[in-house]
Structure formats: C-alpha cells, structure tokens
Amino acid sequence: MTDRTPAAGQASAVENEPSRLYVYAIVSAESYAPTTTGIDGSALHMVGDANGPRAVVHTHRGGPYDGPDDDVKRWVLEHSEVIEDGWKGAGSVLPVSFNVIVRPDIDSGASATAQLERWLQATSSSLSERLEELGGTSELRVEIALDRSAFLDGNEEIRSIRTDMAERPAGVRRLLEKRLEKTEKELADRAADDLYPAVRARIAERCLAIEEYRTPARNAGQTPILTASCLVTEPGIQNLGAELTAIQNELPDTEIRFLGPWPPYSFADMSDSVAEMSGTEAQQRESQEST
C-alpha cells in the first residue's frame, strides 16, 4: 500500500491550507448521524440547516484522492459504505460520486462550509423533493443474457452445419467453422433482439424507474438481452424477483443475475449538481457498486 503521507515541507504547506470538505451524500433533514467513518477512517460530520437537506462530509486537506488501483478501490468502497450508512439511517439519500471536494472561495473569503451551506440553501426545495421521492426505495441490478450453447443446441441449421463438418476434410472443416461461428452469432443476436421488447416490458412493469446499460456479456458464451438498474420499493424487491423467476422458467436458455439492493445510485447521483457549485473540484473515477 502506498504511503500518502507528504514529506515534511509538503505536510507543513498542506496544514496551512484552508480546510476543504469531501462530500459523500445528501440526506434529508432528519435526526440522522453517521455511524461509520469515511475514507481512511476520516471523522464524518453534517453540514447544513437542521430543517433542510444536509451533506455528509469529512474535513479534507490536499487534493483529490489519487494513487495505485488497489488504494483507489479501497477508497471507493469506503466512500460507498458512507452512502449506504446514510441510506439505511436516513431512509433516503442522494449519493455524490467519489472525489467531489468543496474548497473555500478565495475571492470572497467564504469557507468551504459556507460554500456548501449556501448551495444547500439555494437548492433546498429541489433536494427535498427528490429525497422525498426516493424515500424507502433501493436499486437492483438485473442482467439477462442468452446462453448461446443451450440456445443453439436445438437449432436445426446449426445441427446441419455441424453434421456436415464432421464428414469433411480438415481444410473444408476450417472454412465451415468460420461459417458456423458467424451463423451462431447471427442467430443468437436475432433471438436476443426478438426477446428484448417483451422482457424489458415485464421488468419495467415491476419498477418505479428503469435505467438501461449497453455492456458486453460477462461470459464469452452469452449474448446480452437486457442489462438494467431498477428503482423499487421494499415490496418491489420480491415482486421483481418473482418476475425474474417466471422469465427464467419460461426461457430456460437464458441466464439471469439479480444484484442488490443498494442505494439508488443510478437514479439520484448529485455529483454534477454539486460540481456546479463555486469552489468545487471534482475528479471523477469510474466506480463499481458491488457488481
């Protein structure tokens, strides 16, 4: 693990800098208090009016977190744990992405805390509305893919090509293998495209909102049908799970992954809004939320 402690001269310079605020999340105006620590064990505190939305932060000195991949993965995980603590403790949370830091305004002399408080007050109405909308919700990840091997085993065209290959010389077999590979991909892609509309409609019916992603299949032998994040209430978790079980039973050639529940990252990220605040620096990194 890399030691991020600055040299003596650098440490002195950092200590003399006005403190900044590292922001994790926005929570509702309830009696929530963090029950965990932040990145590298940083002490957490709340910023904002007790009667309005508040931010979960730690006092920060220096720039954005940067280092070897193992360190970054650990910091992202610790960041996510704070968001989850707010989600469970406050009942509703607006996550802020990794490495969003509010700094003082040099021109006006406003501290980082004053900067953040001013932004929370200015956006109080919209933040409160969104927090209320997301109260009691969570995010689930659904991945549905076609198992090409299982699907193609019953296909007459594929069986015919395989039979033909077995009876041909080696050189011809190599040509037929390329034809087989192309035909298998085309058939699987077409089948996935045909299944997509009905599958998506069934999943969307069980969600308050759905956010789709275009991602490659996890395994080489799969053809993606649908990859999506779903916003659900507590009863919605069981309802969506039951629907996925029904889809699996009806479409045995599919493979389904059902992940979560998590805080509603895909439906509530406030990073862009916070980054628009005067005196904010943000270094975005792609993070993995328990996938």
Side-chain angles (χ1 to χ4, degrees):
M1 185 180 300
T2 301
D3 184 358
R4 298 183 70 253
T5 304
Q10 293 175 318
S12 176
V14 169
E15 288 173 1
N16 291 330
E17 287 182 359
S19 62
R20 306 176 179 187
L21 293 176
Y22 181 98
V23 186
Y24 294 88
I26 310 299
V27 298
S28 54
E30 303 292 342
S31 57
Y32 165 73
T35 62
T36 187
T37 56
I39 293 174
D40 287 340
S42 299
L44 300 174
H45 66 278
M46 309 298 296
V47 171
D49 192 316
N51 298 318
R54 297 177 297 158
V56 185
V57 304
H58 78 240
T59 301
H60 185 75
R61 295 187 183 278
Y65 289 96
D66 191 20
D69 287 348
D70 286 346
D71 284 351
V72 173
K73 289 177 182 177
R74 174 174 56 81
W75 294 328
V76 169
L77 178 60
E78 291 169 345
H79 179 103
S80 299
E81 288 171 349
V82 175
I83 293 173
E84 186 159 345
D85 185 76
W87 174 56
K88 292 178 178 178
S92 185
V93 66
L94 301 178
V96 173
S97 292
F98 176 66
N99 252 347
V100 173
I101 300 166
V102 181
R103 63 178 183 270
D105 188 328
I106 297 176
D107 294 334
S108 68
S111 67
T113 298
Q115 292 270 82
L116 185 53
E117 287 177 337
R118 185 182 303 126
W119 177 81
L120 287 168
Q121 291 171 359
T123 58
S124 176
S125 178
S126 60
L127 292 176
S128 296
E129 182 178 351
R130 191 63 180 138
L131 284 163
E132 185 175 354
E133 291 172 351
L134 292 170
T137 65
S138 57
E139 178 176 332
L140 300 172
R141 175 95 167 195
V142 174
E143 299 176 4
I144 305 177
L146 191 66
D147 182 333
R148 284 203 296 272
S149 178
F151 167 70
L152 294 168
D153 280 346
N155 184 273
E156 289 293 339
E157 184 177 357
I158 296 300
R159 279 209 295 259
S160 176
I161 296 175
R162 289 173 178 170
T163 300
D164 193 18
M165 285 174 58
E167 300 171 352
R168 298 301 185 96
V172 177
R173 279 203 303 271
R174 283 194 291 272
L175 292 174
L176 289 174
E177 283 173 358
K178 292 182 179 179
R179 175 187 162 196
L180 176 63
E181 183 179 342
K182 179 182 178 184
T183 303
E184 286 178 338
K185 183 179 186 306
E186 289 175 348
L187 288 172
D189 287 347
R190 191 182 312 143
D193 288 344
D194 290 344
L195 290 169
Y196 167 80
V199 168
R200 187 196 186 284
R202 292 175 66 171
I203 298 303
E205 189 175 355
R206 301 294 182 180
C207 306
L208 298 174
I210 184 170
E211 184 77 24
E212 292 186 59
Y213 302 96
R214 292 290 183 183
T215 58
R218 287 181 177 269
N219 301 318
Q222 295 179 342
T223 298
I225 298 172
L226 175 70
T227 301
S229 290
C230 301
L231 184 68
V232 297
T233 58
E234 184 68 29
I237 298 175
Q238 293 183 348
N239 294 338
L240 182 54
E243 190 65 43
L244 291 171
T245 299
I247 291 172
Q248 180 74 85
N249 291 337
E250 295 169 24
L251 304 171
D253 294 341
T254 59
E255 294 186 4
I256 297 176
R257 300 183 83 241
F258 186 38
L259 307 170
W262 304 312
Y265 291 101
S266 299
F267 306 93
D269 186 5
M270 293 301 299
S271 303
D272 290 343
S273 296
V274 176
E276 291 172 0
M277 185 197 326
S278 174
T280 302
E281 65 180 88
Q283 178 175 311
Q284 301 297 335
R285 283 180 174 269
E286 185 174 347
S287 62
Q288 190 81 7
E289 296 110 8
S290 306
T291 56

